[in-house]
Amino acid sequence: MRKNWMAFAAVGVIFFSINARAQVSVDKPWVRGTVQGQTSTGAFMSLKSAREASVVGAESPVAGGVQIHKMRMEGDVMKMRPVPRLVLPAGKTVELKPGGYHVMLTDLKRPLKKGESVPIRLRVQNKDGSSSIVEFNAEVRELTASSKH
């Protein structure tokens, strides 16, 4: 009887651990293409989490640095700044698009050409403090692409 209870408890812990992780979906990810000599670009997508969570980091093998950035107008000047976390409210879609939040790829290791695929990993922290990784590939679009593409 004790063995059965321990097995049941172990299954419960595994089930709880899986359910404690944020279930984040990534929709329509894309990266703006670059030209020779360009050292940075943006990645855009829609994110939706089943539970409240935050994106707290990112990485990609095509870039030396990856951050979450926010663009906004300050007077007549568009300013871009890194943010330490991007909150994902439970059940709501968060748009990362040109002119707003986006994933900034810096220190590019090579130009990114239309039609290529860029692997990206987002580190997600859940409300309970646990974390998980969301991996996906983003299609490279032309340099002049917009989110309406």
Side-chain angles (χ1 to χ4, degrees):
M1 181 74 162
R2 181 167 162 82
K3 276 187 176 181
N4 288 343
W5 183 86
M6 289 179 72
F8 178 75
V11 168
V13 168
I14 292 168
F15 179 75
F16 177 77
S17 297
I18 291 169
N19 282 334
R21 292 183 159 193
Q23 298 168 358
V24 177
S25 62
V26 179
D27 191 34
K28 299 181 183 109
W30 64 279
V31 174
R32 186 170 280 143
T34 63
V35 295
Q36 188 66 38
Q38 186 176 341
T39 60
S40 63
T41 193
F44 312 95
M45 66 212 67
S46 296
L47 300 173
K48 188 173 184 178
S49 179
R51 294 176 179 78
E52 186 175 329
S54 296
V55 177
V56 295
E59 59 185 43
S60 175
V62 303
V66 183
Q67 297 177 319
I68 306 300
H69 277 204
K70 179 180 183 179
M71 291 183 76
R72 68 173 196 210
M73 291 298 291
E74 288 184 14
D76 293 337
V77 179
M78 179 68 84
K79 298 221 175 174
M80 179 171 52
R81 300 242 186 319
V83 294
R85 65 179 46 241
L86 175 63
V87 176
L88 305 175
K92 305 235 186 235
T93 299
V94 176
E95 297 287 335
L96 282 72
K97 59 187 177 181
Y101 287 107
H102 59 279
V103 175
M104 191 73 192
L105 304 166
T106 60
D107 299 323
L108 292 173
K109 297 176 181 179
R110 60 179 176 75
L112 303 177
K113 299 193 184 324
K114 180 182 174 184
E116 292 180 332
S117 182
V118 173
I120 298 175
R121 294 172 51 139
L122 300 178
R123 189 170 53 255
V124 177
Q125 185 176 47
N126 305 307
K127 191 174 181 178
D128 68 2
S130 64
S131 63
S132 59
I133 300 293
V134 178
E135 297 182 275
F136 58 94
N137 289 313
E139 168 198 11
V140 178
R141 295 186 183 168
E142 58 232 1
L143 180 63
T144 58
S146 69
S147 58
K148 296 177 184 174
H149 182 75

